[in-house]
mmCIF file of all heavy atoms in Angstrom:
data_model
loop_
_atom_site.group_PDB
_atom_site.id
_atom_site.type_symbol
_atom_site.label_atom_id
_atom_site.label_comp_id
_atom_site.label_asym_id
_atom_site.label_seq_id
_atom_site.Cartn_x
_atom_site.Cartn_y
_atom_site.Cartn_z
ATOM 1 N N VAL A 172 -33.069 -71.596 138.926
ATOM 2 C CA VAL A 172 -33.456 -70.593 137.915
ATOM 3 C C VAL A 172 -33.449 -69.235 138.505
ATOM 4 O O VAL A 172 -33.932 -69.087 139.649
ATOM 5 C CB VAL A 172 -34.873 -70.898 137.225
ATOM 6 C CG1 VAL A 172 -35.251 -69.809 136.226
ATOM 7 C CG2 VAL A 172 -34.986 -72.300 136.625
ATOM 8 N N ASP A 173 -32.814 -68.226 137.918
ATOM 9 C CA ASP A 173 -32.849 -66.870 138.251
ATOM 10 C C ASP A 173 -33.876 -66.078 137.517
ATOM 11 O O ASP A 173 -33.822 -66.026 136.354
ATOM 12 C CB ASP A 173 -31.400 -66.211 138.046
ATOM 13 C CG ASP A 173 -31.350 -64.716 138.431
ATOM 14 O OD1 ASP A 173 -32.123 -64.363 139.351
ATOM 15 O OD2 ASP A 173 -30.576 -64.081 137.874
ATOM 16 N N PRO A 174 -35.007 -65.701 138.220
ATOM 17 C CA PRO A 174 -36.062 -65.004 137.548
ATOM 18 C C PRO A 174 -35.606 -63.704 136.931
ATOM 19 O O PRO A 174 -34.928 -62.998 137.521
ATOM 20 C CB PRO A 174 -37.131 -64.784 138.577
ATOM 21 C CG PRO A 174 -36.797 -65.810 139.605
ATOM 22 C CD PRO A 174 -35.348 -65.952 139.644
ATOM 23 N N VAL A 175 -35.891 -63.539 135.746
ATOM 24 C CA VAL A 175 -35.450 -62.351 134.968
ATOM 25 C C VAL A 175 -36.299 -61.115 135.392
ATOM 26 O O VAL A 175 -35.739 -59.946 135.607
ATOM 27 C CB VAL A 175 -35.516 -62.542 133.442
ATOM 28 C CG1 VAL A 175 -35.168 -61.269 132.690
ATOM 29 C CG2 VAL A 175 -34.630 -63.639 132.991
ATOM 30 N N GLY A 176 -37.656 -61.212 135.456
ATOM 31 C CA GLY A 176 -38.368 -60.092 135.777
ATOM 32 C C GLY A 176 -39.513 -60.555 136.673
ATOM 33 O O GLY A 176 -39.652 -61.751 137.131
ATOM 34 N N PRO A 177 -40.417 -59.609 137.133
ATOM 35 C CA PRO A 177 -41.495 -60.016 138.041
ATOM 36 C C PRO A 177 -42.444 -60.938 137.285
ATOM 37 O O PRO A 177 -42.707 -60.816 136.090
ATOM 38 C CB PRO A 177 -42.229 -58.658 138.285
ATOM 39 C CG PRO A 177 -41.838 -57.801 137.145
ATOM 40 C CD PRO A 177 -40.453 -58.203 136.818
ATOM 41 N N GLY A 178 -42.892 -61.959 137.987
ATOM 42 C CA GLY A 178 -43.712 -62.961 137.394
ATOM 43 C C GLY A 178 -45.185 -62.953 137.848
ATOM 44 O O GLY A 178 -45.461 -62.303 138.801
ATOM 45 N N ALA A 179 -45.888 -63.432 136.959
ATOM 46 C CA ALA A 179 -47.417 -63.471 137.231
ATOM 47 C C ALA A 179 -47.788 -64.148 138.468
ATOM 48 O O ALA A 179 -48.677 -63.754 139.184
ATOM 49 C CB ALA A 179 -48.123 -64.031 136.021
ATOM 50 N N ALA A 180 -47.071 -65.240 138.826
ATOM 51 C CA ALA A 180 -47.392 -65.962 140.019
ATOM 52 C C ALA A 180 -47.119 -65.124 141.293
ATOM 53 O O ALA A 180 -47.992 -65.172 142.174
ATOM 54 C CB ALA A 180 -46.627 -67.327 140.065
ATOM 55 N N GLU A 181 -46.120 -64.385 141.260
ATOM 56 C CA GLU A 181 -45.768 -63.590 142.508
ATOM 57 C C GLU A 181 -46.809 -62.479 142.564
ATOM 58 O O GLU A 181 -47.196 -62.095 143.601
ATOM 59 C CB GLU A 181 -44.328 -63.060 142.405
ATOM 60 C CG GLU A 181 -43.289 -64.089 142.780
ATOM 61 C CD GLU A 181 -42.895 -64.898 141.529
ATOM 62 O OE1 GLU A 181 -43.354 -64.657 140.397
ATOM 63 O OE2 GLU A 181 -42.195 -65.829 141.833
ATOM 64 N N ALA A 182 -47.204 -61.858 141.368
ATOM 65 C CA ALA A 182 -48.179 -60.854 141.400
ATOM 66 C C ALA A 182 -49.494 -61.371 141.742
ATOM 67 O O ALA A 182 -50.162 -60.660 142.627
ATOM 68 C CB ALA A 182 -48.202 -60.234 139.941
ATOM 69 N N ASP A 183 -49.888 -62.425 141.392
ATOM 70 C CA ASP A 183 -51.124 -63.075 141.803
ATOM 71 C C ASP A 183 -51.169 -63.305 143.361
ATOM 72 O O ASP A 183 -52.233 -62.993 144.027
ATOM 73 C CB ASP A 183 -51.480 -64.372 141.162
ATOM 74 C CG ASP A 183 -52.843 -64.938 141.347
ATOM 75 O OD1 ASP A 183 -53.748 -64.146 141.358
ATOM 76 O OD2 ASP A 183 -52.832 -66.252 141.634
ATOM 77 N N ILE A 184 -50.103 -63.831 143.981
ATOM 78 C CA ILE A 184 -50.084 -63.958 145.434
ATOM 79 C C ILE A 184 -50.051 -62.659 146.154
ATOM 80 O O ILE A 184 -50.702 -62.476 147.088
ATOM 81 C CB ILE A 184 -48.826 -64.848 145.693
ATOM 82 C CG1 ILE A 184 -49.058 -66.214 145.245
ATOM 83 C CG2 ILE A 184 -48.585 -64.799 147.206
ATOM 84 C CD1 ILE A 184 -47.736 -67.115 145.255
ATOM 85 N N ALA A 185 -49.353 -61.656 145.497
ATOM 86 C CA ALA A 185 -49.315 -60.323 146.152
ATOM 87 C C ALA A 185 -50.671 -59.765 146.200
ATOM 88 O O ALA A 185 -51.140 -59.026 147.183
ATOM 89 C CB ALA A 185 -48.296 -59.475 145.492
#
Side-chain angles (χ1 to χ4, degrees):
V172 180
D173 179 26
V175 174
E181 286 83 7
D183 186 42
I184 292 170

